[in-house]
Amino acid sequence: MNKKMITIIAALAMCTAMAGCSESEPASSSKAETTTTTTAAAESAAPVESNADESTADESAVTNVGTTDYDVDGDFRAFEQLKDKYDGNYLASLTGQMTNNGTKYTICIKDGKAYQSLTIQGMKSYTVCPGDGKLYNISEGTTTYSIEDFDESELKAADILFGATLDFDHAYVDTTTNVVQEYYNLDSSVSGGEGQIVYGFDGATYDLQQVVLLPEGADESSAVYFTVDSIGEADDSLLTVPDLSAYTEE
């Protein structure tokens, strides 16, 4: 697989089994992630900017309604606050939104090391770049693994929150849900294609709630939407060489 992710969706949708870290063909678990990501792209909806009369919204059906002090034309950007706190050192858990069961993702980044896991219907596969120049792909479902060379210059491709984000484009406030949406352009040299990444923040606390990927020219039906379940500092225990004694090398 090319070092640059084949599509913008594969790029940021958890970087399909660390596709950005390796040129070799992905393991079977990686192929499963690609299929799931494509499904999510077809079934998800981006946070589009509504032109409807917001005064007619059914507020009884809306949660987290409030009045944010966010100024779309101001200097403050919630993403910059997030980046200052977590860039280069974070552990994030996300759920890809699908019509059946959400796909669970975990990403851990620290000191040039990376960990990513994917769980689909209870089946987990994960990839570790522990800083030894190698990339370990492990499938718990098939109890198999593979080891590849890891180019640390490609670490950006594994970093869903910050690795491919370039300049700020615009912001939008959904006043019915009190969500601040900040739109940023993507670095095509990392993502493998043009497009934008949208960060959704709670309008009161500016906590990150969602990440949406918008390929160039895409409509809302081809966006990829993730909810952020949690985010905190990196867990060093995830960034070590895995115990492969019970696994078979492919």
Side-chain angles (χ1 to χ4, degrees):
M1 183 175 286
N2 194 296
K3 283 188 176 182
K4 296 177 183 178
M5 271 85 30
I6 292 177
T7 68
I8 207 169
I9 294 173
L12 271 292
M14 308 305 127
C15 304
T16 310
M18 288 265 196
C21 302
S22 170
E23 292 181 341
S24 63
E25 279 295 316
S28 59
S29 60
S30 302
K31 293 177 182 178
E33 180 174 354
T34 304
T35 302
T36 302
T37 302
T38 302
T39 304
E43 297 176 344
S44 303
V48 293
E49 300 173 19
S50 174
N51 294 320
D53 182 358
E54 295 172 350
S55 64
T56 63
D58 182 3
E59 295 186 3
S60 63
V62 176
T63 60
N64 195 33
V65 174
T67 302
T68 182
D69 59 0
Y70 186 90
D71 181 0
V72 296
D73 298 317
D75 295 327
F76 172 78
R77 297 292 169 241
F79 171 75
E80 294 301 328
Q81 179 173 277
L82 178 76
K83 187 174 182 180
D84 288 344
K85 186 173 184 179
Y86 291 118
D87 188 17
N89 182 354
Y90 73 87
L91 170 64
S93 297
L94 304 93
T95 301
Q97 298 302 298
M98 302 172 64
T99 55
N100 47 20
N101 293 322
T103 301
K104 298 291 185 179
Y105 300 92
T106 300
I107 306 95
C108 187
I109 302 288
K110 184 179 180 181
D111 297 335
K113 304 174 184 179
Y115 167 94
Q116 296 182 53
S117 71
L118 164 72
T119 304
I120 304 174
Q121 296 180 345
M123 299 291 286
K124 178 182 176 181
S125 59
Y126 63 99
T127 302
V128 185
C129 295
D132 63 353
K134 299 295 182 181
L135 179 148
Y136 301 81
N137 293 304
I138 301 98
S139 171
E140 292 187 351
T142 60
T143 61
T144 58
Y145 73 93
S146 63
I147 302 176
E148 307 165 14
D149 291 333
F150 171 55
D151 181 356
E152 291 188 6
S153 67
E154 297 298 321
L155 188 65
K156 282 187 175 182
D159 185 352
I160 185 174
L161 292 186
F162 308 109
T165 305
L166 289 177
D167 51 305
F168 171 77
D169 186 75
H170 72 284
Y172 168 74
V173 177
D174 186 336
T175 57
T176 64
T177 59
N178 203 37
V179 172
V180 172
Q181 297 163 0
E182 292 185 351
Y183 289 67
Y184 290 79
N185 295 320
L186 286 169
D187 184 348
S188 61
S189 68
V190 176
S191 66
E194 301 292 337
Q196 291 185 321
I197 181 169
V198 187
Y199 300 89
F201 298 93
D202 183 293
T205 64
Y206 297 115
D207 291 335
L208 182 64
Q209 293 184 326
Q210 59 188 12
V211 178
V212 181
L213 311 175
L214 295 172
E216 181 72 22
D219 58 23
E220 60 186 84
S221 66
S222 57
V224 183
Y225 172 75
F226 299 95
T227 58
V228 178
D229 300 320
S230 65
I231 182 170
E233 292 186 354
D235 180 351
D236 292 333
S237 68
L238 297 176
L239 302 171
T240 60
V241 177
D243 179 5
L244 301 173
S245 58
Y247 291 77
T248 302
E249 185 171 9
E250 291 185 326

